[in-house]
Amino acid sequence: MIDKLHLKTQDIVNLDKLPKIDSVHNYAQVPDAQYRKCIVIRNGSKHFLTIKTLPYLNNLSPTEIQLNPSNWGSFSLIKNTLNKITNLEALKVLRIDHAVDIERPIEATFYSLRVKHKQDCTVFNENMFKRGVLTGYYLGSKSSPELYCIYDKGFQLSSNGSCKRDKSHNLGTRTRIEVRQKKKKILLPNFLDLPKYQEISPFNNIEWLEMNNLMENDERSQALQTLIRKDGLTNVYQQLNNHNNFKRNYKMLMSQVSFSDELTNSYWCNLGQFFGDDNG
């Protein structure tokens, strides 16, 4: 799915022309530090749309638009809404978040998932992790044009009030993997080209490595598994890969499992429903 979308346009939009969205009733004009006019549209805890226009400073885009496409249900509804207030061909993408949910616990991703060329791993809450509660982590620098955010989706829903915290929400069993892209990492900068992501995978750099069960009694295997369970695969890979020889030295201890294809197929399946027959 496309979870978040941040757009800009050189047009000054007339918020009075913004049409009502069916079944969405919470329209609020809110103050903003950078723009004279700002409207936020929500349905309960679900964010649909934020539009900011008439900037105080000339170096800002005349209008910025933030959406949560997964809450809209269809691309055509977004297009029809925005087409009432601006020229769709002028809309440019500032940020896009690609997301997939998997039925695997967050700990499993921490121990087995790595992203090629991403060396930084930052746990959301270090104190919580030390107490044995891992809720999520970042792979990559937060200033990077591409950041991976991996977190326990059930915990996130319970924390923001979308559901009550009890066993029915499968806390710890459902993980969300997000690829947050901006600047040079945005492959399709034009809003109307977004349906082309049905032929592009943002998840190709993800690898899944598991310990080889046939080597479980090997001392090196046990030592490696202890390190991974303490620091996570990304950090251990970085520590032991000084000369780019991790896979050579440890290929007998760990097996690479096909995983990026699973993510891509799930992503494309969701996009197929979201875009329908819309080709832009």
Side-chain angles (χ1 to χ4, degrees):
M1 72 186 77
I2 297 177
D3 188 49
K4 290 184 178 64
L5 190 62
H6 191 174
L7 309 169
K8 70 174 182 178
T9 178
Q10 297 302 310
D11 296 335
I12 296 292
V13 304
N14 184 350
L15 295 180
D16 293 333
K17 294 183 178 181
L18 186 66
K20 295 293 183 181
I21 305 170
D22 290 343
S23 302
V24 179
H25 308 292
N26 190 351
Y27 286 64
Q29 293 270 3
V30 299
D32 186 84
Q34 296 180 315
Y35 287 84
R36 293 178 177 86
K37 289 188 176 182
C38 177
I39 188 170
V40 178
I41 302 174
R42 294 180 175 275
N43 189 13
S45 63
K46 291 184 176 181
H47 173 262
F48 275 73
L49 178 66
T50 296
I51 302 177
K52 303 176 181 181
T53 193
L54 292 172
Y56 291 110
L57 301 177
N58 293 331
N59 62 337
L60 296 173
S61 300
T63 299
E64 291 194 6
I65 301 171
Q66 299 174 28
L67 303 121
N68 284 72
S70 56
N71 291 334
W72 287 71
S74 73
F75 186 55
S76 60
L77 179 57
I78 295 175
K79 288 204 314 181
N80 292 339
T81 300
L82 296 182
N83 194 40
K84 301 292 185 181
I85 60 171
T86 191
N87 175 15
L88 298 184
E89 294 182 352
L91 286 173
K92 303 296 181 182
V93 179
L94 289 174
R95 170 180 160 176
I96 184 170
D97 292 4
H98 312 274
V100 169
D101 291 342
I102 59 172
E103 295 300 324
R104 303 191 191 195
I106 185 68
E107 290 85 358
T109 68
F110 192 63
Y111 302 148
S112 297
L113 185 150
R114 70 175 293 267
V115 178
K116 299 174 186 176
H117 315 303
K118 293 295 182 184
Q119 301 175 358
D120 298 329
C121 178
T122 307
V123 173
F124 280 1
N125 189 321
E126 191 69 24
N127 291 330
M128 292 186 69
F129 178 65
K130 287 180 179 178
R131 294 201 306 269
V133 181
L134 175 66
T135 60
Y137 57 98
Y138 297 106
L139 295 179
S141 168
K142 290 186 180 181
S143 61
S144 168
E146 184 173 74
L147 176 68
Y148 290 72
C149 180
I150 302 168
Y151 58 92
D152 183 331
K153 185 60 180 176
F155 185 88
Q156 184 255 345
L157 288 174
S158 66
S159 298
N160 69 14
S162 297
C163 61
K164 296 179 181 178
R165 298 184 67 178
D166 60 39
K167 294 181 180 180
S168 66
H169 305 298
N170 298 320
L171 304 186
T173 64
R174 181 173 161 216
T175 298
R176 171 158 294 186
I177 300 174
E178 291 181 0
V179 184
R180 302 176 178 179
Q181 297 175 328
K182 58 185 180 181
K183 298 178 180 178
K184 65 181 181 180
K185 284 296 183 177
I186 295 174
L187 299 179
L188 302 172
N190 298 318
F191 170 74
L192 290 177
D193 287 338
L194 290 180
K196 295 179 181 178
Y197 275 113
Q198 295 174 95
E199 301 176 353
I200 299 173
S201 174
F203 304 98
N204 285 337
N205 285 330
I206 291 179
E207 292 183 331
W208 188 277
L209 303 176
E210 293 182 351
M211 300 302 300
N212 186 345
N213 292 332
L214 297 177
M215 303 292 292
E216 61 183 356
N217 295 322
D218 183 89
E219 290 185 1
R220 291 177 70 235
S221 177
Q222 294 173 352
L224 179 61
Q225 186 169 15
T226 298
L227 279 176
I228 290 174
R229 290 190 172 274
K230 176 178 178 291
D231 297 326
L233 176 62
T234 296
N235 288 329
V236 172
Y237 196 101
Q238 176 65 12
Q239 294 167 17
L240 302 180
N241 197 43
N242 291 332
H243 301 289
N244 296 318
N245 54 14
F246 181 94
K247 289 186 177 180
R248 184 194 69 190
N249 293 343
Y250 298 96
K251 65 180 180 180
M252 296 297 294
L253 306 182
M254 301 196 76
S255 303
Q256 183 166 335
V257 178
S258 176
F259 186 61
S260 63
D261 288 346
E262 175 187 333
L263 299 180
T264 297
N265 290 336
S266 177
Y267 174 71
W268 283 347
C269 180
N270 184 277
L271 290 192
Q273 298 172 4
F274 176 69
F275 289 113
D277 295 329
D278 198 320
N279 294 314

